[in-house]
């Protein structure tokens, strides 16, 4: 969050009413320290060095000892030079003069690297001067304000900012807050499931399934241009580059250490969502304020309108070029994409586009962390235990994944009811959709091959018992 440099440290009371919202007071202490930090002073070599690498300037002094470098830097805090190491010829060292609180002025030596940019750690710089500037700021602030930094997350403004409540009121970011009605698991008796335990199971209430679309922030290291303040602790984000992290989905800016404390309340901004396909499922539905991805709703609606009797539905492939056109249309136009019969007469193109969407999710509908639970459920020898285990696993899915799977299984159940025409039984659909909805976290072809039977069975059972499991 950009802010003026004259902000003062004070408390702020923020109403949960968006109309009464007042911006917080940003804390200026760390900003003031950055302004006080020593400035870099380049110590140049008096003679031209033939061995000087082309990416260094006159600050390169060739192969000199640590002791001689120390003499050159004496008396000037922030002074720096580059030397070739005597111990490891061909490698280079940045020598930097700085006053450490407990030791006084010292020369700090860092192994210096270049791969198109200069670096001594994770940060990469266009010039050595920028690297030294950032190092001096970091050293100065982390030395002067060590105790302050250690405590700056203990009194965050994040909750006072009303970030969650403001988004809820202004952007309606909590989707389908209502809980689904508690329902009883009533496995139907048949020749496959007939033990007395089924009757006991039928009387047991399942845990409530909340449609609470919690989403963690997608933080990535970011370089802020101009002064920026952390939107969690309200403190200045110091340094020249990579001062903090930004959520690439909602734009929240925080310190790296603060990012670990931010609640999982990300509300994606549509302007930051570049595409529909290959976008995280929860991110997409929160950004579009829907309970399910638009691709799933629109494709299923179109298929049920004109394709339910199509022979080999979901098994027969449409032309890949046309499926790619549908993908591009959704990425470009969102819910305005035209997938009608006038645009794509072959319903297999729409079915293929739906399968492609589900297959390309970065986190599958049945998530990586639950994959093994579903596979183990399918391996249980007792039919009743299998269904109970699948049911328990379903309840652990993220809400957006659960709702998408529930809607899809209800649709596939209707497909099987027309199997005399479309020839697609629950088993056939399980073969098609098993590897589409479930992928092992290791992305190992051998594991996938070994698990294909269980993948098929999980989807088959979810279709056949859709009314009970969901």
């Amino acid at each position: 969050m950009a802010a003026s440099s004259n902000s003062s440290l004070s408390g702020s009371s923020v109403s949960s009413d968006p109309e009464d919202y007042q911006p917080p007071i940003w804390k200026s202490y760390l900003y003031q320290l950055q302004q006080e930090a020593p400035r870099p002073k380049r110590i140049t070599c008096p003679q031209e060095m033939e061995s000087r690498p082309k990416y260094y300037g006159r600050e390169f002094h060739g192969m000199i000892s640590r002791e001689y470098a120390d003499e050159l830097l004496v008396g000037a805090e922030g002074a720096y030079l580059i030397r070739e190491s005597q111990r490891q010829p061909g490698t280079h060292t940045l020598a930097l003069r700085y006053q450490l609180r407990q030791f006084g002025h010292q020369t700090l030596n860092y192994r210096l690297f270049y791969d198109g940019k200069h670096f001594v750690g994770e940060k990469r710089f266009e010039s050595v001067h920028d690297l030294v500037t950032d190092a001096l700021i970091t050293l100065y602030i982390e030395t002067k304000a060590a105790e302050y930094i250690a405590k700056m997350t203990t009194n965050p403004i994040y909750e006072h900012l009303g970030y969650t409540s403001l988004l809820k009121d202004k952007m309606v970011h909590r989707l389908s807050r209502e809980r689904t009605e508690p329902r009883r698991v009533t496995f139907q008796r048949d020749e496959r499931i007939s033990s007395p335990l089924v009757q006991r199971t039928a009387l047991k209430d399942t845990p409530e399934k909340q449609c609470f679309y919690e989403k963690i922030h997608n933080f990535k290291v970011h370089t802020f241009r101009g002064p920026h303040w952390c939107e969690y602790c309200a403190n200045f984000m110091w340094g020249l580059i990579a001062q903090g992290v930004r959520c690439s989905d909602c734009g929240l800016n925080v310190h790296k250490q603060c990012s670990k404390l931010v609640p999982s309340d990300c509300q994606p901004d549509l302007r930051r969502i570049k595409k529909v396909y290959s976008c995280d499922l929860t991110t997409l539905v929160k950004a579009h304020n829907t309970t399910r991805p638009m691709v799933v709703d629109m494709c299923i609606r179109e298929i049920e309108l004109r394709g339910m009797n199509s022979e080999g539905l979901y098994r027969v492939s449409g032309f890949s070029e046309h499926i790619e056109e549908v993908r591009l249309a959704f990425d470009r136009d969102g819910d305005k994409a035209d997938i009608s019969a006038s645009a794509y007469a072959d319903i297999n193109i729409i079915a293929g586009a739906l399968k492609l969407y589900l297959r390309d999710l970065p986190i599958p509908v049945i998530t990586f962390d639950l994959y093994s639970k579903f596979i183990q459920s399918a391996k249980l020898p007792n039919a009743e235990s299998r269904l109970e285990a699948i049911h328990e696993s379903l309840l652990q899915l993220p809400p957006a994944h659960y709702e998408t799977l529930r809607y899809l299984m209800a649709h596939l159940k209707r497909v099987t009811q027309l199997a005399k025409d479309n020839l697609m039984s629950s088993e056939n659909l399980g073969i098609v959709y098993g590897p589409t909805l479930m992928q092992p976290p290791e992305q190992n072809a051998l594991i996938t091959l070994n698990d294909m039977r269980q993948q098929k069975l999980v989807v088959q059972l979810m279709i056949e018992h859709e009314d009970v499991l969901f």
Side-chain angles (χ1 to χ4, degrees):
M1 176 69 71
S4 61
S5 62
N6 60 357
S7 301
S8 61
L9 173 57
S10 69
S12 61
S13 60
V14 180
S15 168
S16 60
D17 184 349
E19 299 302 322
D20 296 336
Y21 172 70
Q22 296 294 323
I25 303 300
W26 304 107
K27 303 171 185 177
S28 62
Y29 176 54
L30 298 180
Y31 177 81
Q32 292 166 359
L33 287 183
Q34 175 159 313
Q35 298 301 103
E36 298 169 6
R39 298 293 185 262
K41 302 176 182 66
R42 186 174 69 150
I43 304 301
T44 59
C45 183
Q47 67 262 22
E48 188 67 33
M49 302 296 301
E50 293 183 4
S51 62
R52 185 179 72 196
K54 61 181 180 180
Y55 40 83
Y56 295 139
R58 295 292 298 274
E59 70 274 6
F60 182 76
H61 286 249
M63 187 179 289
I64 60 174
S65 66
R66 282 191 174 209
E67 293 73 21
Y68 184 53
D70 195 40
E71 290 178 18
L72 293 174
L73 298 174
V74 163
E77 187 171 26
Y80 73 94
L81 60 80
I82 298 171
R83 63 182 177 83
E84 184 175 356
S85 172
Q86 290 182 323
R87 295 180 183 176
Q88 295 179 293
T91 65
H92 302 108
T93 298
L94 171 67
L96 173 64
R97 192 72 173 174
Y98 183 74
Q99 180 178 357
L100 294 172
R101 180 186 297 177
Q102 62 272 46
F103 301 114
H105 282 92
Q106 282 202 336
T107 299
L108 308 175
N109 291 276
Y110 301 93
R111 176 81 176 272
L112 186 60
F113 300 89
Y114 180 81
D115 63 356
K117 290 189 176 182
H118 305 273
F119 62 99
V120 297
E122 292 182 356
K123 293 184 178 182
R124 282 165 162 73
F125 299 83
E126 296 293 340
S127 69
V128 174
H129 187 83
D130 286 348
L131 186 156
V132 174
T133 302
D134 186 82
L136 290 170
I137 290 171
T138 302
L139 285 167
Y140 187 78
I141 289 179
E142 293 184 358
T143 301
K144 290 272 188 179
E147 293 182 9
Y148 182 89
I149 291 171
K151 296 177 180 178
M152 69 183 185
T153 61
T154 57
N155 186 29
I157 62 159
Y158 191 79
E159 293 178 6
H160 303 300
L161 268 171
Y163 177 82
T164 302
S165 58
L166 281 171
L167 287 174
K168 178 182 67 179
D169 294 334
K170 295 180 82 172
M171 304 171 69
V172 200
H173 91 294
R174 292 302 186 199
L175 311 178
S176 299
R177 246 190 195 284
E178 315 82 35
R179 297 169 181 242
T180 56
E181 289 297 318
R183 55 181 306 175
R184 298 179 183 275
V185 178
T186 54
F187 295 127
Q188 299 204 0
R189 271 177 166 279
D190 59 25
E191 62 277 6
R192 294 168 295 171
I193 308 175
S194 57
S195 74
L197 182 56
V198 175
Q199 300 173 47
R200 297 197 296 274
T201 303
L203 298 176
K204 182 176 68 176
D205 285 340
T206 69
E208 288 182 330
K209 184 67 184 179
Q210 273 196 76
C211 288
F212 183 77
Y213 285 54
E214 184 178 83
K215 181 188 179 306
I216 62 173
H217 290 270
N218 184 17
F219 287 119
K220 295 181 180 177
V221 175
H222 188 78
T223 293
F224 298 95
R225 304 301 178 191
H228 270 70
W229 272 254
C230 174
E231 294 170 35
Y232 181 80
C233 71
N235 282 289
F236 178 68
M237 294 195 281
W238 65 90
L240 205 61
I241 68 168
Q243 303 96 326
V245 294
R246 168 176 286 175
C247 176
S248 59
D249 294 336
C250 73
L252 184 70
N253 303 317
V254 295
H255 291 112
K256 187 175 181 180
Q257 59 266 47
C258 291
S259 68
K260 301 170 185 176
L261 305 173
V262 175
S264 298
D265 59 0
C266 176
Q267 168 56 41
D269 184 342
L270 269 177
R271 292 170 298 180
R272 297 179 180 275
I273 307 300
K274 305 298 183 185
K275 54 187 177 180
V276 172
Y277 277 64
S278 301
C279 177
D280 172 64
L281 198 156
T282 301
T283 300
L284 189 69
V285 298
K286 283 178 69 68
H288 287 272
N289 198 20
T290 59
T291 54
R292 292 177 301 274
M294 68 184 76
V295 178
V296 175
D297 277 6
M298 291 175 64
C299 288
I300 287 178
R301 186 161 58 242
E302 194 67 26
I303 290 165
E304 296 200 348
L305 179 68
R306 59 187 175 94
M308 295 291 277
N309 295 313
S310 178
E311 185 176 324
L313 182 64
Y314 291 118
R315 178 176 54 79
V316 176
S317 299
F319 286 112
S320 58
E321 295 88 350
H322 293 161
I323 292 173
E324 179 66 12
E325 287 177 10
V326 174
R327 182 187 71 80
L328 292 172
F330 274 115
D331 282 345
R332 182 183 63 248
D333 304 324
D335 57 5
K336 302 294 190 296
D338 183 8
I339 59 171
S340 64
S342 59
Y344 302 99
D346 182 4
I347 199 63
N348 294 312
I349 294 170
I350 308 305
L354 174 58
K355 289 190 296 180
L356 177 64
Y357 170 77
L358 296 170
R359 190 167 57 247
D360 280 0
L361 287 171
I363 301 174
V365 176
I366 292 177
T367 56
F368 290 127
D369 58 326
L370 291 174
Y371 176 86
S372 60
K373 289 189 176 183
F374 278 92
I375 293 297
Q376 293 306 314
S377 299
K379 291 180 178 179
L380 293 173
N382 181 270
E384 174 194 339
S385 299
R386 260 201 312 266
L387 286 181
E388 288 185 354
I390 290 174
H391 180 250
E392 291 300 317
S393 298
L394 285 170
L395 293 173
Q396 297 177 51
L397 285 171
H401 289 243
Y402 177 92
E403 173 59 23
T404 300
L405 192 58
R406 181 199 66 78
Y407 189 75
L408 178 63
M409 292 302 113
H411 163 67
L412 295 180
K413 181 75 170 283
R414 294 189 288 272
V415 172
T416 63
Q417 291 168 354
L418 296 170
K420 288 184 179 179
D421 298 320
N422 58 41
L423 305 181
M424 293 304 290
S425 64
S426 59
E427 183 177 7
N428 290 339
L429 289 169
I431 293 171
V432 172
Y433 268 100
T436 299
L437 299 173
M438 304 176 66
Q439 299 170 30
E442 298 85 3
Q443 298 295 311
N444 185 299
L446 184 59
I447 293 176
T448 303
L449 188 63
N450 291 337
D451 291 347
M452 283 185 67
R453 181 176 177 277
Q454 285 75 36
Q455 291 176 347
K456 184 265 295 183
L457 184 57
V458 166
V459 176
Q460 180 181 342
L461 291 174
M462 287 193 296
I463 295 171
E464 292 174 355
H465 302 279
E466 168 271 331
D467 56 333
V468 169
L469 291 172
F470 292 92

